[in-house]
Amino acid sequence: MNTCTCARTTSALALALAAALAGCAAPEQGAFGDTVRAALGSQVIAPQATRNSDPVSGIDGKAARAAADNYENSFKQPPAPASNMGVAGGAR
């Protein structure tokens, strides 16, 4: 290998390395994350709802607690399997 070919190869490798490392550069930090924050903000129905100090109306505490307990207990024991009486199985 002559000196000219070796210099060209080294230059080409250096240029390729510089181009590859340019892709690792950090993005501009000024607007980083704005799109995500905008998407999350657009999913909020009532942004002022946290400032509402009125209690929820429509159901009393005892009924709400009973509904929540029934819901939680429904996961503790699976429902009984459905009966298949009268349903023929297999092909004829």
Side-chain angles (χ1 to χ4, degrees), residues 3 9 11 22-24 33 41 44 46 52 65-66 69-72 75 82-83 90 92:
T3 307
T9 304
S11 297
C24 297
V44 176
N52 185 2
R65 188 68 193 152
D69 287 342
N70 288 339
Y71 176 75
E72 288 178 11
F75 294 102
S83 173
R92 292 185 189 201

Side-chain angles (χ1 to χ4, degrees), residues 11-91:
S11 297
L13 286 174
L15 183 61
L17 181 64
L21 290 178
C24 297
E28 181 182 335
Q29 296 296 321
F32 190 73
D34 286 350
T35 304
V36 173
R37 283 187 288 278
L40 290 174
S42 69
Q43 296 177 25
V44 176
I45 293 174
Q48 303 299 326
T50 58
R51 296 189 178 125
N52 185 2
S53 61
D54 292 337
V56 176
S57 60
I59 189 169
D60 65 337
K62 288 181 182 179
R65 188 68 193 152
D69 287 342
N70 288 339
Y71 176 75
E72 288 178 11
N73 289 335
S74 70
F75 294 102
K76 291 181 181 175
Q77 182 178 6
S83 173
N84 62 355
M85 302 269 309
V87 177

